[in-house]
């Protein structure tokens, strides 16, 4: 038995068989150059790899269309077309013929060459195709090498270095019992997805170099390669962050007992569906959920959240090669709002930058991206991209109960600029007789500057939602992506707690609702504190909604900052 440790990114307990996903090789520099002595055989192998790639992409297109909508499927349709593009396929054939390279090497080489040519074009759309070409040629190479595809035929615990967006979309989530990642952070795409789907997840896991080592041997977290764990059993305790590979009978029993406790708590919490969250002394808190993609709404409704407190709209922009059009966004927002059937949906405008990057914006390199051109700053830097999103939100707001909020605000001047842009968008829509509704407009309080200025900011917006993930990183000067700051990065840091109190007081002094949508909202040790501070709304991952509701209902804490008018405004949105 090997025992390892990591950090919990989605609580849960599971025991299952491992599927170890080895990070795909995507460039020739990562793969040894290999030659063939039989080019005819190699050309035949190429045709097989192309055919397999076509079949995989056809299946991916169907899956993306069914689960994410036609627009999201478009990226895979482009990949499918590239497979029949003679510029790519004939080039690979010629490279095999002339240079006697294996299919895998020839495909990666052609991918790199063509991607480099596309990257130099003036047209932004064509430039953005570079990443697609590399993705397609990597798929051909992988199939030629006969590597396992990620089709899940049985329930598994996934083990990987990290997960890519295209891998994540391709997976059948119902077959994933748990996830164990060597890297990753609490707020990476994989972590957010796992929480949304309620899949137990451990990140920064210390995986073994070899299972022959004694279990107390040195962990391999820093090693370049870890052994392939596929087929081994893992007992995953994503409550205390421990995991056991090939667990002995006693460990399996112990983990299964924790798993049963989890299931019992869940059954108890199910009974709170349809009930409001009201503390013993009568403080009402709306229990909302966070989402990143349109189909996450299913989980929101399944867990009886009363609204969506944070729709991370940037996920519509990730894992593709061009920004989503106004129409695509409009459809996505309108679909979420109509599925929520009158319950409030708060869309957070684009928060790209720092850890969330998209190649197609082609932004300058930054030494400190978390302190750079991210979120609202980036939107103000690219006003046309921003306006496209605002138009989509205004139009969708005519179809459902939508509010919007801006991330990374630091001062009033930014809010004034952004409200002016909203006025311009509204005037254009009106002039063009497009159906729209101006949504309620809030801001995220996630910088110390905005927290300190929250008294005056509250006079200019309809609501506050606190992003504690960023508020913590900027207040305590602890990079949220840095895996080595565990001793310094304290989610309960006194300075952050004090700022929460100040923000809630200032919001209520101005009579506006205040909520928390960062990870801290789900922290069981702070539910009483949030009631005392008078929060009106807490937004957590869908799977955490009912546990939060249970804690609020059982809480004896007294609200010291009541503001019935603020709650009324939230409910009347
Ligand atoms: C936050 O910062 O707390 C937040 C909710 O936003 P994100 O995690 O997406 O930056
Ligand atoms: Mg944030």
């Amino acid at each position: 038995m090997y025992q390892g440790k990591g950090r919990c990114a989605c609580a849960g307990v599971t025991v299952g068989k491992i599927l170890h996903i080895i990070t795909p090789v995507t460039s020739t520099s990562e793969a040894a150059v290999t030659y063939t002595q039989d080019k005819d055989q190699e050309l035949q192998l190429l045709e097989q790899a192309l055919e397999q790639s076509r079949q995989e992409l056809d299946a991916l297109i169907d899956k993306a269309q069914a689960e994410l909508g036609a627009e999201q499927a478009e990226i895979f349709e482009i990949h499918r077309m590239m497979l029949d593009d003679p510029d790519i396929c004939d080039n690979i054939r010629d490279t095999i013929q002339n240079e006697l390279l294996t299919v895998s090497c020839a495909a990666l080489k052609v991918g790199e060459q063509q991607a480099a040519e596309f990257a130099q074009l003036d047209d932004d759309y064509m430039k953005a195709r570079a990443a697609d070409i590399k993705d397609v040629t990597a798929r051909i190479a992988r199939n030629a090498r006969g590597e396992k595809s990620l089709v899940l035929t049985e329930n598994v615990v996934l083990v990987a270095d990290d997960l890519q967006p295209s891998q994540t979309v391709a997976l059948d989530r119902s077959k994933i019992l748990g996830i164990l990642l060597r890297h990753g952070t609490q707020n990476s795409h994989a972590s957010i997805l796992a929480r949304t789907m309620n899949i137990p997840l451990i990140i920064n896991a210390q995986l073994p170099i070899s299972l022959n080592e004694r279990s107390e041997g040195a962990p391999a977290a820093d090693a370049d390669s870890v052994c392939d764990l596929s087929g081994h059993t893992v007992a995953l305790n994503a409550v205390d962050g421990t995991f056991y590979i090939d667990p002995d009978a006693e460990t399996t029993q112990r983990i299964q007992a924790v798993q049963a406790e989890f299931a019992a708590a869940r059954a108890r919490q199910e009974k709170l569906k349809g009930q409001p969250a009201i503390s013993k002394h009568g403080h009402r808190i709306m229990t909302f959920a966070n989402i990143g993609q349109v189909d996450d709404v299913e989980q929101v409704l399944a867990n009886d959240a009363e609204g969506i407190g944070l729709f991370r709209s940037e996920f519509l922009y990730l894992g593709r090669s061009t920004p989503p059009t106004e129409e695509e966004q409009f459809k996505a927002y309108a679909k979420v709002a109509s599925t929520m059937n009158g319950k409030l949906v708060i869309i957070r405008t684009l928060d790209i930058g720092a850890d969330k990057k998209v190649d197609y914006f082609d932004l300058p390199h930054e030494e400190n991206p978390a302190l750079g051109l991210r979120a609202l700053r980036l939107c103000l830097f690219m006003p046309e991209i921003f306006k496209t999103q605002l138009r989509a939100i205004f139009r969708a707001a005519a179809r459902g109960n939508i509010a919007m909020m801006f991330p990374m605000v630091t001062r009033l001047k930014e809010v004034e600029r952004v409200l002016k842009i909203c006025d311009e968008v509204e005037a254009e829509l009106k002039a063009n007789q497009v159906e729209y509704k101006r949504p309620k407009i809030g801001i995220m309080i996630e910088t110390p500057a905005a927290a300190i200025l929250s008294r005056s900011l509250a006079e200019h917006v309809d609501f506050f939602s606190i992003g504690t993930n960023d508020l913590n990183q900027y207040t305590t000067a602890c990079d949220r992506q840095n895996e080595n700051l565990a001793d310094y990065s304290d989610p309960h840091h006194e300075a952050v707690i004090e700022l929460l109190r100040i923000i809630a007081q200032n919001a209520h002094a101005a009579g506006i609702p205040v909520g928390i949508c960062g990870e801290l909202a789900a922290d069981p040790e702070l539910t009483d504190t949030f009631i005392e501070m008078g929060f009106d709304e807490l937004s957590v991952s869908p799977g955490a909604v009912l546990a939060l509701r249970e804690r609020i209902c059982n809480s004896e804490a007294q609200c010291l900052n009541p503001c019935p008018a603020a709650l009324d405004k939230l409910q009347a949105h």
Side-chain angles (χ1 to χ4, degrees), residues 396-417:
R399 305 284 183 92
N401 190 3
I402 285 178
M404 70 176 176
M405 62 183 179
F406 305 112
M408 268 289 275
V409 168
T410 66
R411 66 202 311 201
L412 183 58
K413 208 157 83 176
E414 292 152 14
V415 177
E416 286 171 346
R417 265 180 87 184

Side-chain angles (χ1 to χ4, degrees), residues 233-250:
T233 300
V234 62
L236 192 85
N237 183 349
V239 175
D240 66 5
T242 52
F243 62 93
Y244 308 84
I245 295 168
D246 297 335
D248 55 30
E250 194 197 323

Side-chain angles (χ1 to χ4, degrees), residues 1-4 206-220 227 243 245-246:
M1 175 172 83
Y2 170 90
Q3 177 178 347
Q206 300 168 331
L207 298 179
I209 302 171
S210 150
L211 285 176
N212 297 329
E213 273 178 273
R214 288 167 1 126
S215 59
E216 63 270 30
C227 64
F243 62 93
I245 295 168
D246 297 335

Side-chain angles (χ1 to χ4, degrees), residues 269-278 284-285 287 304 306 545-546 549 553:
Q269 289 153 9
E270 285 279 319
K271 300 202 180 99
L272 291 172
K273 283 186 177 170
Q275 308 286 326
I278 303 176
R284 167 89 163 99
I285 296 187
T287 45
D304 194 43
E306 296 169 280
V545 167
L546 291 172
R549 192 172 296 169
C553 291

Side-chain angles (χ1 to χ4, degrees), residues 455 500-510 514 533 560-561:
R455 185 163 204 117
L500 295 182
R501 191 185 315 281
I502 292 169
I503 300 162
Q505 273 168 355
N506 286 337
H508 281 182
V514 57
M533 291 179 179
L560 307 175
N561 177 29

Side-chain angles (χ1 to χ4, degrees), residues 39-76:
K39 60 184 173 187
D40 290 338
Q41 193 187 351
E42 214 59 32
L43 287 168
Q44 210 178 342
L45 179 61
L46 170 63
E47 296 314 316
Q48 285 164 10
L50 285 171
E51 185 50 33
Q52 191 176 341
S53 303
R54 283 186 198 106
Q55 286 173 14
E56 283 175 6
L57 281 166
D58 284 342
L60 263 180
I61 292 167
D62 289 348
K63 186 167 159 50
Q65 266 169 350
E67 294 176 11
L68 305 171
E71 293 81 12
Q72 300 286 337
E74 197 191 327
I75 173 118
F76 299 117

Side-chain angles (χ1 to χ4, degrees), residues 348 351 374 407 444 446 467 469-470 480:
R348 188 262 297 279
D351 185 357
R374 70 168 279 210
M444 290 189 72
E446 51 182 355
N469 308 335
D470 279 316
R480 65 194 263 189

